[in-house]
Amino acid sequence: MVAARKPTVSPEESNNLLDSPWLKAFLKSRWFPALFSYPTLLVFGYIIYALLWGPEAASANLGTSLTWVLWWPLIPILMFTMGRFWCAICPFATTIDIVQKFFGLGRPVPAFLKKYGIWIIDAVFILITWSDHVFGIVESPRGSGYLLGLMLTGVVVTGVLFERRSWCRYLCFLGGLSGNYSRAAIVELRATPEICATCTTQSCYKGDGKTAGCPIFEFPRTMQTSANCNLCANCIKTCPNDSIRLDARPATKELWFIARPKFEEAFLAVVIVGIVLVQNVTMLSFWTPMMDFFMSVLFGSKVAAFTAIFLIAMGLPFGLMAGSAWLSGRATGESFGKNFARFGYAVIALDLAGHVAHNLFHLLAEGKAIYYNVAALFGHQVMGGAAVVSAQTIQILQFGILGLGIFGSIFTAYKIAARDKQNGMRAFWPHLVVLVIFSVVNVWLFTMPMEHRV
Amino acid sequence: MKHRIWPVAAAALLLAAGAASPALAGGGLPVITSLRAGDTDVTIYGDSLLMHTGTNTLTVEATGLHDSHGPELSLIGPDGTTLSVPLEPLHIVAGPDGGHGDSHGSSGHGDDHATAAADAVWFRGKVAVRTTGYWKVQFHMDGKTVTDEVKVVENGPSRAYLAFTGLAMGGTIVYGAIVRRRQPNGRR
């Protein structure tokens, strides 16, 4: 028998959203998540068409507006409020389900994918960010279409060959990102340990014949993180004992008590600091003179100049975090790797805030591009300012969010340190210094002028 | 330990709240051609860097136009085909910053257009072009006609890309179907 894990939210402070009968009935019905996933798949089909065959000017392409001005800014907000729910309705996941129904071979996931999947996600994420700037993926509808088409190819291939949603769990870079962000989310799905202790069916993992088991290989009974739960509600449907709970919880709380921290997951969190840094820096007014300088010393090569800046931007956060982990580990007698893994999770709140704040600019300063392009689709020609709200309003929102993220990260590091009553304080200080550096850099970056996507 | 965190967090928040974030104006629609006839300047914007096969949305900006009701735009193909572009007046919507694109505004190309809209007339029309090559753009207004030549290219993604993704997806699906058929019960 497998021992059930404790949920992050204790029974005393539990706020089980499934106590609402209508929500529970909806999640248990066959309409969930199909009501969302199939329309999303239809919109995705149009987006792919528009990106590959539509206008090449980003501002005139509805696919670009829907992807980079609407979806990409909303996705981290969705992850914070609803965990990996997007993964349940993601068109790639729906494609896997359809492909598997008719052509799936259901082979086991190769061991190397299980072992190195998160490293592959780390590498792909870095590679995509690099190629975005070198080949202009975001600002080019064709580039975005090529990227989505390549991902779709990977989705179909893994969907046919392997069981469940192997792509989502082991290969999708967005899945890796959402896994990290979901740890800071304000909801969690968990089983009730006392009920699961008597369960003999394990249908939450295996399925019950009517509804499939967990599509991303989680066993809710032992699940102690939201990183791999996409809130698809399969386990709510299949559990014969009503053990599953959907609890509201304080933001970032899961990060305070990670029982088995993994270096590769902490590494991804630190990599995202670098990615947010690169994304911001390339949209700033001093980007061109900086590129010119690097090109002048790198034989005029734009790719070499960008790669050099990219490596510095990616390496700096890692170097700083590694330095603080080394100092912190020395103070407590902990190994570098273990300390890095433990405290690396603390930057997730700052990552999330930086991601939301950066993309809030695109959503609110360019949001009307969506309206103009949708109107054009129906033959109504409109043009004008793309901003939804004033620049000042965006600034206030951006810095408010960034402030919350800074607080969330510092507080998380403190809570992680506080678990060690004896050496916690000594372990905390080096990380506090690095988090303050990250925060100041982020704040400074957001004071700089930014360029548009469309 | 808690008391030592709060001042740092509060300082970071204050620092964050005190900063400002102006936005730069971005690029607009690509210019297909610029024409001039007397006092009138006409700029024709496309929806792509070059005109392409399939439907093109053309946006016309005309300044110094005396009769804004009767401009006509047409395309003449390499084989002599003439396509008329049905132009309709374009509605210009002001943004929250008054529709003026200043360095602190938060809007893109649309604001630049909106600013220029004060002394320009805007039209938009769609035209479906079937053949590649050099086409003549002919703009007629106020009794004057001006022409220029534009290149029309093939639309859509690279064929190599389509072939690769199509073969990879199609091949795997066919492989899955064959393997499943060979299994005793026709399914895995």
Side-chain angles (χ1 to χ4, degrees), chain A residues 262-320:
Chain A
K262 290 182 181 168
F263 185 87
E264 56 270 35
E265 288 174 353
F267 178 77
L268 180 62
V270 179
V271 158
I272 294 168
V273 177
I275 286 173
V276 171
L277 187 66
V278 171
Q279 295 289 9
N280 275 312
V281 164
T282 55
M283 291 192 177
L284 302 179
S285 55
F286 65 78
W287 172 247
T288 308
M290 188 162 72
M291 271 292 280
D292 289 344
F293 169 75
F294 273 85
M295 278 171 72
S296 68
V297 294
L298 287 168
F299 317 107
S301 165
K302 206 173 172 181
V303 174
F306 175 76
T307 307
I309 298 172
F310 183 78
L311 289 175
I312 293 169
M314 300 300 289
L316 269 177
F318 178 76
L320 282 169

Side-chain angles (χ1 to χ4, degrees), chain A residues 187-239:
Chain A
V187 290
E188 69 172 26
L189 182 144
R190 295 290 187 274
T192 311
E194 298 77 30
I195 298 175
C196 291
T198 58
C199 176
T200 53
T201 66
Q202 301 181 355
S203 51
C204 55
Y205 182 78
K206 296 175 182 169
D208 64 358
K210 220 168 94 182
T211 304
C214 176
I216 42 180
F217 305 92
E218 272 296 326
F219 190 17
R221 178 171 171 167
T222 57
M223 189 170 76
Q224 50 189 178
T225 168
S226 298
N228 295 310
C229 171
N230 64 4
L231 299 178
C232 66
N234 277 13
C235 56
I236 298 174
K237 291 184 179 83
T238 54
C239 179

Side-chain angles (χ1 to χ4, degrees), chain A residues 314-430:
Chain A
M314 300 300 289
L316 269 177
F318 178 76
L320 282 169
M321 196 71 201
S324 67
W326 181 75
L327 279 174
S328 172
R330 267 175 67 98
T332 59
E334 206 174 15
S335 74
F336 156 76
K338 201 175 165 194
N339 190 283
F340 185 98
R342 225 156 51 87
F343 283 92
Y345 291 91
V347 298
I348 287 176
L350 188 57
D351 285 344
L352 185 56
H355 191 154
V356 172
H358 173 91
N359 285 289
L360 203 65
F361 173 80
H362 296 294
L363 181 68
L364 298 179
E366 301 165 35
K368 277 193 185 166
I370 303 164
Y371 163 63
Y372 299 143
N373 287 323
V374 170
L377 191 67
F378 294 100
H380 184 55
Q381 301 298 341
V382 193
M383 192 172 75
V388 178
V389 296
S390 71
Q392 288 73 22
T393 308
I394 297 173
Q395 286 163 25
I396 291 166
L397 289 171
Q398 279 182 320
F399 286 113
I401 289 164
L402 206 54
L404 288 173
I406 292 167
F407 172 73
S409 275
I410 291 173
F411 190 67
T412 300
Y414 163 73
K415 292 293 276 185
I416 293 169
R419 292 178 71 187
D420 179 353
K421 302 265 185 255
Q422 207 177 354
N423 298 311
M425 190 62 190
R426 282 191 291 164
F428 173 62
W429 278 110

Side-chain angles (χ1 to χ4, degrees), chain A residues 1 20 22 29 36 85 87 107 131 140 222 226 253 281 286 296 303 328 337 344 359 421:
Chain A
M1 185 173 287
S20 157
W22 70 265
S29 80
F36 302 102
F85 172 65
C87 297
R107 291 176 182 164
S131 17
S140 151
T222 57
S226 298
K253 189 169 183 183
V281 164
F286 65 78
S296 68
V303 174
S328 172
N359 285 289
K421 302 265 185 255

Side-chain angles (χ1 to χ4, degrees), chain A residues 3-26:
Chain A
R5 300 281 178 180
K6 277 186 180 174
T8 308
V9 180
S10 66
E12 298 79 48
E13 56 188 4
S14 164
N15 180 18
N16 186 4
L17 303 177
L18 295 181
D19 287 343
S20 157
W22 70 265
L23 180 64
K24 190 170 185 175
F26 179 56

